[in-house]
Amino acid sequence: MTALKQRPVSVVVNPAVDHVGVTYATGFDVWTPKGSPTYRTDQSSDVVLTMLDHSFLENGSAHEWNGQSIPMALRERDLQWALEVGDEWTSAVLMSKPRLVPVRVPLDGGVARSWKPVDAHMLLASERFFLPERFSADLVWSEYLEGAGCGAIADDRRIAVAMRQGRFLVFDGNRATPDQKGVKLVDAPLGFAAYDLAIVESGYALLSVGSPMPADAPALTPLGSALAIAARRVELSPTPAPRWRTVVHHLDPRGHEIAQAEIPFEVLQPPIDAGAGRVFALGNGVAAFDGGRLLYAQPSPLPMLGTAFEDGSLALAIGPELRILTRDGAVQQTFTTAEREAITTPPAIGSDGSVWVGTEKALYVAR
């Protein structure tokens, strides 16, 4: 157990399980498993960390364990949806928020400074590292898409993006056109605005906002409210945190919708692929699907956060408890935090089977 400075948002572990990253609403830490910090900063927000064998990536910037920067071609630092790193490649899905950028306007006798509004857009990109030291990388291809959206990257490097304007695209992350653009595998219309998605064994699982909760529905917990704001960040309207039912959409590999179901709670993280057609949806409850068919949906008064093991079993955080479940939902083990404080991060699973979680007080590991 390692003391933390504030409520963590996420915990990530590198493949060798010799460094652990913890992100906060502002800033992040990188630790050794024995609790010694190697790098800390309070300067970044909306941080997504990716831990490598010998370094880490922070929102498109690469660093050694001591924080020394490694040059990379991709330097977009806005909202990051997905990042996949391999031995030779890295791919990213990023969204730039609407903002004002400074411009210089020519006038008689000089220039004036003004501001130009720039709309939200998505940036998809793949880079190839210089081997073997990986001290820099070259851009292989990139795509610029007007508007807001959400995205995910598969292990085979497919990049899927759902645009709020009603468009679903999938790119082959391994190939580029002669002009360094992405090779499209799918370009299909969507009849809904997705706020998150996952690439699953059977195709794609997308989330959209369903019907509103009854007026007398209990208010979200403080943690539930923070998770709800983060879950719907694609809408760029962080407050107040609403309540909603969630529609889970299942798309086939060609991007055609084959099933959908509304479940009676807010899903607060991307759908979880447990393999063999099983998909979990977690948030203020838990739901399970098999081949797109809803098996069960159970609301919860406390937020649930989960991560799947390779065999389809589930590490589930709920309140002060970390539960290990079979893919059929049976509880195998339960761990409780020292002071029964709530777990605030999805579990991070190490290559050695260890499970890492964070609370407002400490970083825990179950082995």
Side-chain angles (χ1 to χ4, degrees):
M1 184 177 76
T2 301
L4 298 180
K5 59 187 180 182
Q6 57 178 296
R7 181 180 73 81
V9 174
S10 69
V11 175
V12 286
V13 185
N14 78 323
V17 198
D18 57 14
H19 283 82
V20 182
V22 181
T23 70
Y24 309 95
T26 302
F28 65 92
D29 297 336
V30 176
W31 304 76
T32 68
K34 293 183 178 180
S36 301
T38 65
Y39 183 74
R40 315 185 82 167
T41 179
D42 296 318
Q43 304 303 313
S44 302
S45 59
D46 289 329
V47 175
V48 177
L49 287 181
T50 300
M51 309 297 283
L52 309 178
D53 284 323
H54 306 293
S55 60
F56 67 92
L57 299 180
E58 171 244 341
N59 287 22
S61 295
H63 307 272
E64 296 178 351
W65 295 128
N66 62 6
Q68 182 176 342
S69 295
I70 301 172
M72 294 184 70
L74 181 61
R75 295 192 175 276
E76 185 91 7
R77 296 182 58 85
D78 282 317
L79 185 60
Q80 183 172 300
W81 276 102
L83 187 68
E84 184 74 20
V85 180
D87 291 335
E88 298 184 30
W89 292 70
T90 179
S91 298
V93 179
L94 306 165
M95 185 177 77
S96 179
K97 302 175 183 179
R99 62 189 185 276
L100 295 174
V101 296
V103 294
R104 296 167 66 86
V105 180
L107 295 176
D108 291 340
V111 295
R113 183 183 177 90
S114 183
W115 296 90
K116 175 184 176 182
V118 175
D119 292 335
H121 65 268
M122 302 292 291
L123 175 65
L124 286 59
S126 279
E127 297 179 329
R128 181 181 286 114
F129 290 112
F130 285 108
L131 298 177
E133 68 281 351
R134 298 208 297 187
F135 284 156
S136 61
D138 269 346
L139 184 67
V140 176
W141 67 266
S142 65
E143 285 282 346
Y144 181 99
L145 304 173
E146 293 284 355
C150 55
I153 304 174
D155 290 341
D156 62 5
R157 297 176 51 75
R158 280 174 297 144
I159 300 177
V161 179
M163 303 300 292
R164 295 211 34 100
Q165 300 93 325
R167 189 181 177 196
F168 180 71
L169 301 109
V170 181
F171 293 86
D172 182 347
N174 299 296
R175 295 186 292 155
T177 65
D179 57 350
Q180 289 190 300
K181 297 296 183 182
V183 175
K184 285 182 191 175
L185 303 176
V186 175
D187 189 348
L190 281 182
F192 57 91
Y195 69 85
D196 214 338
L197 69 91
I199 302 173
V200 299
E201 189 176 284
S202 58
Y204 309 92
L206 283 68
L207 307 176
S208 70
V209 176
S211 58
M213 289 289 197
D216 59 352
L220 293 171
T221 65
L223 174 59
S225 179
L227 293 171
I229 291 170
R232 290 177 62 176
R233 61 196 182 279
V234 67
E235 299 170 48
L236 304 172
S237 179
T239 55
R243 297 222 58 186
W244 71 92
R245 296 181 178 91
T246 305
V247 180
V248 182
H249 307 260
H250 294 267
L251 278 57
D252 68 14
R254 296 173 297 172
H256 300 151
E257 187 168 55
I258 55 176
Q260 66 166 265
E262 184 175 80
I263 53 180
F265 58 84
E266 300 87 352
V267 177
L268 302 178
Q269 66 176 85
I272 298 172
D273 185 9
R278 182 64 50 88
V279 174
F280 291 102
L282 296 175
N284 291 314
V286 57
F289 297 82
D290 192 88
R293 178 175 61 90
L294 178 64
L295 300 178
Y296 60 84
Q298 180 62 51
S300 167
L302 296 175
M304 295 181 173
L305 298 168
T307 305
F309 291 88
E310 288 187 3
D311 65 358
S313 56
L314 195 67
L316 180 68
I318 174 171
E321 293 186 350
L322 171 65
R323 302 173 186 173
I324 308 301
L325 281 63
T326 67
R327 69 187 306 275
D328 295 319
V331 178
Q332 292 181 311
Q333 292 177 286
T334 300
F335 305 90
T336 305
T337 56
E339 299 181 26
R340 297 195 62 82
E341 73 271 26
I343 297 169
T344 63
T345 69
I349 300 175
S351 59
D352 60 355
S354 58
V355 183
W356 301 73
V357 293
T359 74
E360 290 190 358
K361 297 186 175 182
L363 175 67
Y364 291 86
V365 57
R367 299 185 188 275

